Amino acid sequence: QAFFFFFFVRFFPPLSIPPALHLPAAMGDAKEDKKKAEMYSYKAPWPIYGMNWSNKAAKPYRLALGSFVEEYTNKVQVVELDESKGEFKLMNQFDHPYPTTKIMWIPDLESKQPDLIATTGDYLRIWKVAEDGKKTSLEVLLNNNKTSEFCAPLTSFDWNEVDPRIIGTSSIDTTCTIWDVETQSPTKVTGEVKTQLIAHDQEVYDIAFARDTHTFASVGADGSVRMFDLRSLEHSTIMYEEANEVPLLRIAWNKQDPNYLSTIKMDGNTVVVLDVRVPCAPVATLTNHKAPVNGIAWAPHSACHICSAADDKQALIWDISQTPRNSPEPILAYQAAGAINQIKWSSAQPDWISICYDNTLEILRV
């Protein structure tokens, strides 16, 4: 337990910041009802780290939140916006061993799949939300290390949008594991390892799929972005290497234009945008943040928009349609009262992004 929390605090430090956010559209002489239409907030009883939107079009204002508490037992909450009251309501809460390093809902805009949530921490777990949303139960715990009582913490994962049976996880043991998950089992969700590979020379911190069933990329402590093809795992392509081997913490793949990826480095104030057709050199470097960037997310409906959030209390939206340019200016900026540690863009409701800091979730109309 002590090792897991050392790892988590080292690379995913919690933020204790007074919550407040001010949208340009909600400032000045704007009316109160306008302000409410642009932003909603929710306060959890603990610091929030893991956070993500539901991907079902029928549930566009539902999110899952994970606690960051330095104890074995942490929590995950499912919350949903009651539009008539203009406030979030808690649908259910369940225990989670250790803090979640990432939370994702099953990619399922058309509601053809069961209502599933995946989480990582010590293991990959998949949970099922009841039809009324008032209960969540564990469906399966996926563990690829059968020979030891100890586990290597999972730093992140991604759920393939094209084929929801595919999940990829990244670990501090230098590996990425691709799981084959049966999500429509008549009984319970099941899963087995499709393949496991040594992806980097050091810890792997994040993984992201392209918008297909076979291409994924990863980043890690060796400071490199590596691209893999599940049809030919004998080889990988080094897309980018950070000077002085500064660790890269996050990677996000443009789902509308698979030629573009973005990444951030440890303690870095910039977002690096890469073009897979031009390896090694960034096509754009987004430089307006004044403190370390913690999160990045591409727009689900646009190939040229990306958002970022940082310790400088800013959430920025960028238009990179004019790349290659060295430093595009952000087209929208949200100023918070404190550092932001997560940012997500809703695929079911592309007009909304979510941020969190301290114990507060905010959703913002963009």
Side-chain angles (χ1 to χ4, degrees):
Q1 292 187 27
F3 172 76
F4 185 91
F5 284 116
F6 171 79
F7 146 75
F8 206 107
V9 172
R10 177 67 181 89
F11 296 107
F12 307 99
L15 299 167
S16 297
I17 305 296
L21 187 70
H22 304 287
L23 284 164
M27 295 175 65
D29 297 326
K31 295 180 180 179
E32 185 68 18
D33 58 350
K34 175 67 174 177
K35 184 175 182 179
K36 289 181 179 178
E38 300 291 343
M39 175 179 63
Y40 300 94
S41 65
Y42 173 78
K43 293 187 184 298
W46 22 252
I48 301 170
Y49 182 74
M51 175 268 289
N52 223 326
W53 293 88
S54 168
N55 293 309
K56 292 182 181 291
K59 301 283 188 180
Y61 297 107
R62 186 175 56 167
L63 299 98
L65 314 172
S67 68
F68 185 97
V69 180
E70 292 191 41
E71 299 173 359
Y72 175 76
T73 301
N74 274 253
K75 304 289 184 182
V76 174
Q77 289 187 345
V78 175
V79 299
E80 189 167 356
L81 180 66
D82 184 332
E83 293 183 78
S84 64
K85 296 181 178 179
E87 61 185 35
F88 278 98
K89 59 181 178 180
L90 174 62
M91 300 301 294
N92 72 77
Q93 175 176 285
F94 57 95
D95 290 346
H96 190 281
Y98 302 107
T100 59
T101 53
K102 190 170 183 179
I103 299 175
M104 287 188 74
W105 296 76
I106 188 169
D108 185 29
L109 284 174
E110 298 179 357
S111 298
K112 294 181 178 179
Q113 300 276 352
D115 211 1
L116 302 177
I117 299 173
T119 61
T120 45
D122 51 351
Y123 301 108
L124 171 64
R125 292 175 173 85
I126 300 177
W127 313 76
K128 187 174 183 179
V129 182
E131 288 188 14
D132 62 4
K134 295 181 179 180
K135 183 180 180 182
T136 300
S137 56
L138 179 64
E139 286 285 292
V140 64
L141 182 154
L142 298 174
N143 173 21
N144 192 36
N145 185 7
K146 308 294 186 182
T147 60
S148 172
E149 61 179 304
F150 302 104
C151 65
L154 300 180
T155 52
S156 189
F157 74 100
D158 196 22
W159 207 326
N160 191 284
E161 288 189 5
V162 178
D163 186 352
R165 294 174 299 177
I166 303 173
I167 295 178
T169 59
S170 57
S171 173
I172 66 167
D173 67 3
T174 76
T175 67
C176 288
T177 303
I178 307 300
W179 296 88
D180 187 354
V181 178
E182 180 50 65
T183 60
Q184 293 186 315
S185 168
T187 53
K188 279 205 168 188
V189 173
T190 60
E192 61 183 13
V193 174
K194 188 172 185 177
T195 189
Q196 185 177 46
L197 64 147
I198 297 175
H200 288 257
D201 299 329
Q202 300 178 51
E203 297 95 331
V204 189
Y205 292 143
D206 203 7
I207 181 173
F209 286 105
R211 200 166 194 174
D212 60 41
T213 60
H214 50 80
T215 310
F216 68 93
S218 60
V219 292
D222 59 8
S224 69
V225 176
R226 304 193 183 197
M227 189 165 70
F228 300 86
D229 190 323
L230 288 172
R231 300 167 298 184
S232 179
L233 287 173
E234 298 83 7
H235 308 285
S236 66
T237 302
I238 297 178
M239 296 302 306
Y240 174 73
E241 290 184 290
E242 179 61 35
N244 303 317
E245 297 187 355
V246 176
L248 300 176
L249 296 184
R250 289 285 172 261
I251 187 165
W253 209 310
N254 187 324
K255 298 300 176 69
Q256 293 296 321
D257 186 343
N259 291 314
Y260 292 98
L261 307 94
S262 58
T263 186
I264 58 176
K265 61 184 178 181
M266 181 182 290
D267 299 326
N269 300 358
T270 60
V271 178
V272 175
V273 180
L274 306 171
D275 187 334
V276 299
R277 299 164 296 187
V278 189
C280 301
V283 293
T285 304
L286 313 180
T287 61
N288 281 55
H289 284 294
K290 308 302 181 187
V293 179
N294 296 319
I296 44 176
W298 290 91
H301 60 306
S302 167
C304 57
H305 292 96
I306 185 173
C307 61
S308 58
D311 282 351
D312 62 1
K313 310 176 186 180
Q314 290 193 96
L316 304 178
I317 296 180
W318 314 77
D319 181 350
I320 63 162
S321 58
Q322 300 303 313
T323 57
R325 280 169 63 183
N326 185 43
S327 184
E329 292 294 315
I331 59 173
L332 285 174
Y334 304 125
Q335 184 70 40
I340 306 168
N341 67 349
Q342 289 280 6
I343 187 166
K344 302 293 182 183
W345 206 318
S346 171
S347 59
Q349 197 78 355
D351 290 342
W352 292 84
I353 63 172
S354 57
I355 62 172
C356 66
Y357 50 93
D358 192 42
N359 68 330
T360 302
L361 162 75
E362 304 271 7
I363 67 169
L364 319 167
R365 187 193 297 272
V366 296

